[in-house]
Amino acid sequence: MLHNRGMPWLRNHLRALLALLGAFLLGLGASAWMHRGVPGSLRVSVLLLNLLILLMAARWLIRWLVVPVRASNRAPVSLEELPRLWADLEQENLSLRELREAEDALRKGILSRLQEGVILFGPDRTLRLYNPAAEALLGRGAALVKGASAESLFREPEARRQLAAAQAGDAVEWTLERGHRILRIRGLPFRSGNEGSLLLTLDDVSRQEALENTRQRFISNLSHELKTPLTSLRIATDNLQAERTQSGMQDADIALLQRAVERMTLLLDDISELSRIESGALRLNPGSVQVGAFAKDLLEEFAPQARKKDLRFLADLAPGIEASVVRVDGLRLHQLLANLVSNALKFSPPGKEVVLAFALEGGRQRWEVRDQGPGIALEDQSKVFERFFRSASVRSVPGTGLGLAIVKHLARLMGGEVGFDSRPGAGATFWVDLPAGEQPGS
């Protein structure tokens, strides 16, 4: 800034002004003198001297009256240094341009070597960028050219529905069959400056899908084949119980056999149910469900189990919400919540309470099952919804380890999510969030 130069700056400016004023007065005097008949040679000399004085004054004026230019180190510089600064700026621009070109080449190199397909749509749903893997996965018949519309690349109704959801701001994922391939496509909306773009990634999951179908068929066939001998075993156990005096078996032996049969039956039922959900064989049958009546039926069903363990099982419904009606598959909602209530009662110590809660908010219904049990250990919390997982602290309690996996898959099948909040020693709250379908009083 100007004030940084202090008194020398002021002296130099005054010197330049005085020089300019002197040149001006000298020019006036010379002009008046030459009009009095001064010889030509002398007149030329005076004019040259006058021009020299004017040039010196102009140099001082340019040097000291022009605001100093600041270099990149913020030190003021004079006008004579401008060529050097200009050259430095040109070199800096050249370095930045080279760096940008190197980054572009690196990005293109990475994209070209990715086995995962990448497609970028602009805010107008036209193709901005794609890599060779995307072209190979979608097939050579796909119109992968810049400017092509999303609708020309994805004509399937499900794909268009998912793209519309992604364009609206939702992260989406779906599978798509193209030729002999099964593709898993993920859509991620993001903003680039003031524009909203959409990034798609494509993976070939044909092998994984084939393995998963084989696994599901194996489990389904296995559970079906085992049910027949298990039914025969149960009938034989019942007959032994009825004729225990003649068989010579002790009551304890028969009871042990019965528990083993019941546990195997429960395991096969859970495996069969999970297989139906995962394979898509399970179909929903939505209908109108009144919240108050549904909660009452659930309380009555589990009241004997609660009394047997000296537990209080109650509902926590906001005033007036009992009359609310939601649209949901009542049978599957009951199956889902029954799993959660059964777990809560199973793991709660005597004298405690289990609470079934319900709330409606923003077109969603939220069911909660709260218990005052031991809670879930931190190291187990990421695994509770996995198949066959059972924490070491509860393995003495009968169970298959499939109940929460069934709950998770049922919730997703119904368009919702399931989760929990828990601290070790402070109980657990499992929640299910589903579309409500209908609002209170409907």
Side-chain angles (χ1 to χ4, degrees), residues 1-10 13 67-68 70 74 76:
M1 295 296 178
L2 295 179
H3 65 273
N4 289 338
R5 303 198 58 169
M7 292 304 296
W9 174 87
L10 182 61
H13 279 69
V67 177
R70 287 190 175 273
R74 302 190 63 81

Side-chain angles (χ1 to χ4, degrees), residues 63-211:
R63 183 173 181 179
W64 301 111
L65 287 184
V66 175
V67 177
V69 179
R70 287 190 175 273
S72 59
N73 60 0
R74 302 190 63 81
V77 296
S78 62
L79 199 63
E80 285 109 345
E81 296 182 77
L82 280 178
R84 180 182 60 80
L85 291 176
W86 184 263
D88 290 344
L89 287 174
E90 285 289 335
Q91 183 61 41
E92 185 176 354
N93 286 335
L94 178 61
S95 299
L96 290 174
R97 192 158 52 244
E98 291 175 348
L99 178 61
R100 185 184 62 189
E101 291 173 355
E103 290 177 347
D104 288 343
L106 178 62
R107 183 176 66 251
K108 291 178 180 177
I110 292 173
L111 284 175
S112 65
R113 287 166 174 78
L114 280 177
Q115 293 184 350
E116 184 180 53
V118 177
I119 296 177
L120 178 66
F121 290 109
D124 56 353
R125 294 171 67 94
T126 60
L127 185 61
R128 294 279 185 88
L129 179 147
Y130 66 92
N131 67 345
E135 188 173 24
L137 291 172
L138 287 176
R140 298 295 175 180
L144 277 175
V145 292
K146 290 186 177 181
S149 66
E151 288 74 14
S152 66
L153 295 177
F154 300 97
R155 302 180 184 276
E156 299 83 359
E158 173 65 12
R160 293 191 174 186
R161 187 179 70 82
Q162 296 287 358
L163 286 173
Q167 203 75 22
D170 297 332
V172 298
E173 180 177 326
W174 77 98
T175 57
L176 175 69
E177 291 189 25
R178 280 292 173 94
H180 62 282
R181 292 190 178 98
I182 298 177
L183 306 179
R184 179 178 60 206
I185 303 178
R186 295 187 179 97
L188 180 66
F190 70 97
R191 299 197 67 80
S192 177
N194 295 324
E195 295 184 342
S197 301
L198 174 61
L199 179 69
L200 297 184
T201 61
L202 298 81
D203 291 292
D204 187 350
V205 294
S206 306
R207 180 175 174 79
Q208 295 93 311
E209 287 290 318
L211 290 174

Side-chain angles (χ1 to χ4, degrees), residues 21 82 131 262 325:
L21 180 61
L82 280 178
N131 67 345
E262 289 171 0
V325 176

Side-chain angles (χ1 to χ4, degrees), residues 127-378:
L127 185 61
R128 294 279 185 88
L129 179 147
Y130 66 92
N131 67 345
E135 188 173 24
L137 291 172
L138 287 176
R140 298 295 175 180
L144 277 175
V145 292
K146 290 186 177 181
S149 66
E151 288 74 14
S152 66
L153 295 177
F154 300 97
R155 302 180 184 276
E156 299 83 359
E158 173 65 12
R160 293 191 174 186
R161 187 179 70 82
Q162 296 287 358
L163 286 173
Q167 203 75 22
D170 297 332
V172 298
E173 180 177 326
W174 77 98
T175 57
L176 175 69
E177 291 189 25
R178 280 292 173 94
H180 62 282
R181 292 190 178 98
I182 298 177
L183 306 179
R184 179 178 60 206
I185 303 178
R186 295 187 179 97
L188 180 66
F190 70 97
R191 299 197 67 80
S192 177
N194 295 324
E195 295 184 342
S197 301
L198 174 61
L199 179 69
L200 297 184
T201 61
L202 298 81
D203 291 292
D204 187 350
V205 294
S206 306
R207 180 175 174 79
Q208 295 93 311
E209 287 290 318
L211 290 174
E212 180 64 16
N213 291 335
T214 301
R215 184 190 67 82
Q216 290 177 2
R217 285 196 301 270
F218 171 76
I219 291 176
S220 178
N221 293 337
L222 178 65
S223 59
H224 176 74
E225 293 298 328
L226 287 178
K227 280 184 178 180
T228 301
L230 188 58
T231 302
S232 301
L233 187 57
R234 172 180 286 175
I235 293 172
T237 304
D238 293 341
N239 291 338
L240 286 175
Q241 178 69 23
E243 302 174 1
R244 62 184 181 278
T245 53
Q246 291 84 357
S247 66
M249 295 183 69
Q250 300 296 319
D251 289 347
D253 296 330
I254 296 176
L256 180 63
L257 185 57
Q258 284 180 323
R259 286 197 299 272
V261 171
E262 289 171 0
R263 185 165 184 175
M264 287 179 65
T265 302
L266 179 62
L267 176 60
L268 285 177
D269 288 343
D270 284 349
I271 289 176
S272 178
E273 187 69 8
L274 187 58
S275 178
R276 290 180 63 213
I277 297 171
E278 291 181 334
S279 66
L282 186 65
R283 293 289 182 262
L284 297 178
N285 185 25
S288 297
V289 173
Q290 189 180 48
V291 172
F294 181 87
K296 181 181 177 182
D297 290 343
L298 205 58
L299 289 177
E300 292 176 352
E301 179 181 345
F302 284 93
Q305 184 179 339
R307 284 194 299 268
K308 186 176 180 180
K309 287 199 62 177
D310 190 23
L311 296 169
R312 295 185 300 278
F313 180 34
L314 48 97
D316 178 16
L317 304 179
I321 207 164
E322 293 92 341
S324 300
V325 176
V326 292
R327 184 166 182 78
V328 68
D329 187 325
L331 177 62
R332 298 307 165 189
L333 178 62
H334 176 274
Q335 181 183 4
L336 189 156
L337 291 175
N339 265 301
L340 297 180
V341 171
S342 178
N343 277 352
L345 294 173
K346 191 185 298 182
F347 299 121
S348 294
K352 301 296 184 177
E353 66 180 28
V354 173
V355 178
L356 173 68
F358 174 81
L360 270 176
E361 183 177 353
R364 308 286 294 181
Q365 55 176 314
R366 184 182 177 96
W367 295 87
E368 292 184 355
V369 177
R370 310 171 192 150
D371 67 52
Q372 297 175 328
I376 302 171
L378 294 177

